[in-house]
Amino acid sequence: MIKDYEDFKKFVFQTTSIDLNAYKERQMKRRIDTLISRNKFPDYETYSKALKTDKEKLDEFVNYLTINVSEFYRNPNLWRTLENEILPDLISKFGQNLKIWSAACSTGDEPYSLAMVMAKLVPINKVKIYATDIDSQVLEKAQDGVYGANSLSGLPKEYKDKYFEKMGDRYFKISDEIKKCVDFKKANLLKDSYPSNCHLIVCRNVMIYFTEEAKDEIYRKFNRSLVKDGCLFVGNTEQIINHKELGYDFDELFFYRKV
């Protein structure tokens, strides 16, 4: 019997391996209550039963839960810093075969942006981006590589012209040569193992939804995944106040170097 939100959190963990305790409770509970109400279920119990028997409903729930908002080259000034300062420095230290992880990659806008920027700096056959997300639906969309015009609004024209084919009035398809640079996999940041020896980890506009304890744990795991002098690139609302305690030096704004 699922009587309240506490019971529902246990059910979600058992069913999806998503630990809702790691998310800010007031914010997440409000989102879930809105979804339940929109689907015209009276309580957690009846909604849980629907999730058990209806895969479409379960997929919708996970997709809604993981808050997928993304766009190419988001916050262009930070991408210019990455392109002009951070990546050239990493290439000079570690060579052209950088190991790059796009964590919580959503619909693929971010890892494809990384691939295009890297292809400007090194031969494209040396570009390999490892991209992960918890949501199977967004990974399918990422692998399709078709995007609305709004997703590309901040992308520099040179990349748009070179790597996208227009499909009708409103859609663009990314080139196969960039798609081949990105390896998409399903992974849960709170539960699954992390790749090792990364030179760059990009995880942006995701941590704001987690509790402080969950954030610190993920930042520590990112730190262990990086090589010494490797870099973590975070979102423009995600300044890490206790970065020294977590094993980072402050590099440029929103770029943190492992010490």
Side-chain angles (χ1 to χ4, degrees):
M1 183 77 178
I2 297 171
K3 302 186 297 292
D4 54 23
Y5 187 63
E6 287 302 312
D7 290 339
F8 184 71
K9 286 193 290 187
K10 291 172 191 168
F11 163 80
V12 170
F13 185 70
Q14 289 162 0
T15 308
T16 68
S17 297
I18 296 172
D19 184 2
L20 291 178
N21 288 313
Y23 292 82
K24 293 175 181 173
E25 179 145 322
R26 186 184 301 174
Q27 191 176 9
M28 186 54 78
K29 184 177 183 299
R30 185 171 63 243
R31 283 179 60 80
I32 290 170
D33 288 349
T34 299
L35 182 63
I36 291 172
S37 172
R38 187 190 302 162
N39 279 283
K40 298 184 167 54
F41 288 99
D43 51 36
Y44 294 118
E45 172 73 8
T46 51
Y47 187 56
S48 301
K49 284 178 180 172
L51 296 182
K52 277 182 186 174
T53 57
D54 187 335
K55 187 180 182 303
E56 223 172 87
K57 279 270 182 288
L58 183 62
D59 288 344
E60 176 199 41
F61 174 70
V62 172
N63 186 40
Y64 183 78
L65 202 65
T66 48
I67 316 163
N68 295 297
V69 179
S70 192
E71 63 189 61
F72 284 84
Y73 219 75
R74 188 174 183 176
N75 310 119
N77 58 319
L78 297 183
W79 281 90
R80 284 192 290 272
T81 300
L82 180 73
E83 182 177 324
N84 298 326
E85 298 175 37
I86 304 298
L87 283 172
D89 181 58
L90 291 172
I91 290 166
S92 72
K93 282 178 179 165
F94 302 110
Q96 294 186 338
N97 294 302
L98 294 183
K99 186 170 182 180
I100 299 174
W101 176 23
S102 174
C105 68
S106 188
T107 50
D109 314 46
E110 181 178 276
Y112 287 140
S113 295
L114 284 165
M116 288 184 281
V117 169
M118 276 296 290
K120 190 175 177 182
L121 302 172
V122 304
I124 197 165
N125 65 340
K126 294 184 180 294
V127 178
K128 197 66 187 171
I129 314 295
Y130 178 62
T132 64
D133 200 274
I134 197 172
D135 186 343
S136 301
Q137 283 187 327
V138 298
L139 289 174
E140 284 176 19
K141 182 174 179 188
Q143 287 165 325
D144 286 342
V146 176
Y147 298 91
N150 286 347
S151 295
L152 277 67
S153 60
L155 187 67
K157 188 175 184 297
E158 61 175 306
Y159 295 129
K160 192 172 171 181
D161 290 348
K162 188 172 184 179
Y163 294 120
F164 285 88
E165 175 192 347
K166 197 166 185 187
M167 301 175 68
D169 293 333
R170 295 184 299 157
Y171 293 97
F172 292 83
K173 184 175 178 63
I174 200 159
S175 71
D176 286 341
E177 63 178 337
I178 288 296
K179 282 175 80 171
K180 285 175 188 170
C181 295
V182 184
D183 182 22
F184 290 101
K185 290 273 165 45
K186 185 174 180 179
N188 182 341
L189 286 177
L190 295 166
K191 173 178 167 284
D192 294 328
S193 59
Y194 286 23
S196 58
N197 299 314
C198 296
H199 301 105
L200 173 68
I201 297 173
V202 181
C203 186
R204 309 187 66 228
N205 310 299
V206 175
M207 305 296 277
I208 50 172
Y209 302 108
F210 290 120
T211 64
E212 292 305 314
E213 294 76 15
K215 277 196 275 193
D216 281 0
E217 180 59 21
I218 291 170
Y219 285 139
R220 284 192 176 95
K221 287 181 178 178
F222 282 155
N223 190 273
R224 290 196 287 271
S225 287
L226 287 165
V227 299
K228 185 180 179 296
D229 286 332
C231 186
L232 172 65
F233 177 22
V234 301
N236 70 327
T237 59
E238 297 172 325
Q239 201 164 350
I240 309 172
I241 304 301
N242 59 334
H243 60 273
K244 287 189 176 175
E245 179 191 321
L246 299 172
Y248 299 94
D249 251 351
F250 181 75
D251 203 342
E252 297 285 338
L253 196 58
F254 310 114
F255 295 91
Y256 295 88
R257 187 84 58 172
K258 175 175 177 174
V259 293

